[in-house]
Amino acid sequence: MKQVGDRKVWSVAEVTGAIARRFEDVPPLWIEGEIQDLRRRAGQVYFALADQHRIAASMNAIVFERLAPRPGDGERVHVYGRPQFWPLRGEFSVRVEIIQRMGEGALRAEIARLRERLAAEGLLDAERKHPLPRLPAAIGLVTSAAGAAREDFLRNVWQRFPRARIVAVDVPVQGDSAPPAIVAAIERLARTDVEVVVVTRGGGSLEDLMAFNSEPVARAIAASAVPVVAAVGHERDTTIADLVADVRVSTPTAAATAVVPDERQLTEHLARADRVLHESLSRKGTEHRAKLERLAATARRALIHLAARGAERRDGHVARLYGALRRASAAASTRAESRGERLDTGVRRARERGGARLERSAAMLGALSPVATVARGYAIVRDHAGAVIVSADAARTGDALRIQLRDGELPVTVREP
Amino acid sequence: MTDKDDDLTFDAALERLDAVVARMESGDVGLEEAVELFERGQRYLDYCLKRLQQVERRIEELAGADPPTENGENPF
């Protein structure tokens, strides 16, 4: 250090030396990062360890070469080493002693073990899955407020069902703080009136999605009394969260479709139901009115028919009676006529023979024909044996007699004169 | 079937409505049943429509649990 006017000036070596001294006390530690720009030079391997930031690292090439398999660019690793400052070039780097692959293979193995364990407990069983309500009173949303997943979900939910109510919890969706935050959010939402919970985040590397492959998150989803829809990552990413969720969809947009009905469709469905109810009832009414009318008409006809038949029957009896009487009297007169004719013929013959006495007798016979006589209003009285009574002396008081009239007989009893 | 309509969920109401509609559509119902079905269907329908109107577009932000404490000490 030297004084130049009113200013203190340090040499580069003084600065780098001071910084180097500061780093002397930094202990070795584990660092997680992705390997980039791996290269070998002069017995060393050099690379960068990166997440959002980057630090240089170096390692003894012989130690590195012994790793099987050796990690390469793009691979996520845990390194154990000491941060150092190299004063000659003014550079900072980590001197790596141990390097462990944290790559997808290890993660996948870890996921597979967890999956197996949960499956053995039955947490992945289809019977455990709850159906989603068709119209949830409210929808819980567990995702990062900064993520595109949230916007995708909200836009699509409201497009399908403009009145949907959302209760959102902002959580980190990657990193160590994500699992406990997601667990807490699911538990919090279960105590509200939400009827379905959506847990979502966009796509990312397997490491990015690891919160959704963590055991606490898986158990919180499985234990949730409220059905959970998981939409984590892209189509090809299946996390444990997806497997234990009641419904698994591949994108936030699909999650929106899963949790709310299409309002237009639902409204149409209800309108149709209303229409069917009214039309069916009114058709039923018409049908029954028609049926009633048919029945009434049938009944009317039946009654008229019955009445008619009653009348007919009555009339029939009368007619039959008349007919019988007519026939009887006709037969009687026919008989009488035929006899009369025969008599007439006889009379004619007699006349032809010119017998006046015979002619008179014939007239007498005609007058005496009982049928003709009765038909004229005379009666024939018979006793109980049918013998004709011609004298009052032949009957005594109390005798039962029959009087034959034109159309029948009258039973009579002889009274005291 | 007689239903307890209290505490009916939207889904249950919609399901029953659909069942009533299907029964009505079958045409195999008497007048008396048709009237009863109609009344029941209207009840479910009213309920569904009421529930549809009840939901209101909004978003509530629920603060999560306390942010998890950072594990481990500052490396330096």
Side-chain angles (χ1 to χ4, degrees), chain A residues 262-335:
Chain A
D262 183 321
E263 191 184 31
R264 207 165 34 82
Q265 268 178 21
L266 186 59
T267 307
E268 272 167 21
H269 183 90
L270 292 177
R272 183 186 170 275
D274 196 23
R275 208 164 53 239
V276 169
L277 286 176
H278 277 95
E279 282 171 1
S280 300
L281 185 68
S282 126
R283 193 173 52 241
K284 216 24 97 172
T286 309
E287 268 173 34
H288 278 259
R289 218 171 2 258
K291 200 165 166 188
L292 275 177
E293 276 162 13
R294 271 200 310 277
L295 278 174
T298 307
R300 231 175 4 251
R301 273 200 306 278
L303 280 171
I304 290 168
H305 183 65
L306 274 175
R309 264 181 51 194
E312 251 169 41
R313 209 186 276 164
R314 187 198 61 216
D315 294 350
H317 285 316
V318 172
R320 273 214 304 282
L321 274 169
Y322 276 123
L325 287 168
R326 248 196 324 274
R327 274 197 305 280
S329 63
S333 49
T334 304
R335 271 200 305 277

Side-chain angles (χ1 to χ4, degrees), chain A residues 152-314:
Chain A
D152 284 349
F153 178 76
L154 292 178
R155 192 176 56 251
N156 283 287
V157 158
W158 283 330
Q159 194 174 315
R160 271 174 74 79
F161 196 82
R163 282 193 300 274
R165 180 159 74 87
I166 318 281
V167 182
V169 187
D170 176 24
V171 294
V173 290
Q174 65 193 66
D176 291 345
S177 59
I182 294 167
V183 169
I186 292 169
E187 287 170 356
R188 275 289 303 277
L189 284 169
R191 292 195 295 272
T192 67
D193 66 338
V194 303
E195 290 178 347
V196 61
V197 169
V198 174
V199 178
T200 188
R201 68 149 282 158
S205 69
L206 187 61
E207 292 82 19
D208 290 342
L209 301 181
M210 279 311 281
F212 298 90
N213 283 314
S214 73
E215 187 164 352
V217 169
R219 291 196 182 279
I221 290 173
S224 173
V226 177
V228 175
V229 175
V232 180
H234 295 303
E235 192 76 59
R236 63 190 155 79
D237 310 314
T238 301
T239 63
I240 301 281
D242 290 316
L243 296 176
V244 293
D246 296 295
V247 171
R248 188 242 156 163
V249 292
S250 52
T251 61
T253 303
T257 306
V259 296
V260 287
D262 183 321
E263 191 184 31
R264 207 165 34 82
Q265 268 178 21
L266 186 59
T267 307
E268 272 167 21
H269 183 90
L270 292 177
R272 183 186 170 275
D274 196 23
R275 208 164 53 239
V276 169
L277 286 176
H278 277 95
E279 282 171 1
S280 300
L281 185 68
S282 126
R283 193 173 52 241
K284 216 24 97 172
T286 309
E287 268 173 34
H288 278 259
R289 218 171 2 258
K291 200 165 166 188
L292 275 177
E293 276 162 13
R294 271 200 310 277
L295 278 174
T298 307
R300 231 175 4 251
R301 273 200 306 278
L303 280 171
I304 290 168
H305 183 65
L306 274 175
R309 264 181 51 194
E312 251 169 41
R313 209 186 276 164
R314 187 198 61 216

Side-chain angles (χ1 to χ4, degrees), chain A residues 26-27 29 83 132-137 150 154 158 161-170 177 180-181 184 188-189 192 195 263 266-267 269-274 276-278 280-281 283-285 288, chain B residues 10-11 14-15 17-18 20-22 24-25 27-32 34-38 40-42 44-45 48-49 51-66 68 70 75-76:
Chain A
V26 174
L29 43 83
L132 302 185
R134 215 175 315 197
L135 180 63
R150 177 180 150 121
L154 292 178
W158 283 330
F161 196 82
R163 282 193 300 274
R165 180 159 74 87
I166 318 281
V167 182
V169 187
D170 176 24
S177 59
R188 275 289 303 277
L189 284 169
T192 67
E195 290 178 347
E263 191 184 31
L266 186 59
T267 307
H269 183 90
L270 292 177
R272 183 186 170 275
D274 196 23
V276 169
L277 286 176
H278 277 95
S280 300
L281 185 68
R283 193 173 52 241
K284 216 24 97 172
H288 278 259
Chain B
F10 179 85
D11 286 29
L14 193 58
E15 235 164 67
L17 173 63
D18 288 347
V20 163
V21 167
M24 275 289 239
E25 274 184 317
D28 185 26
V29 287
L31 183 61
E32 214 166 307
V35 170
E36 195 256 343
L37 285 172
F38 175 81
R40 222 142 46 81
Q42 286 297 316
Y44 296 139
L45 192 66
C48 286
L49 290 171
R51 278 292 311 273
L52 259 176
Q53 303 306 320
Q54 258 173 12
V55 187
E56 201 186 305
R57 172 177 184 153
R58 64 172 192 265
I59 182 157
E60 298 155 25
E61 302 292 343
L62 201 63
D66 298 333
E70 298 294 335
F76 302 126

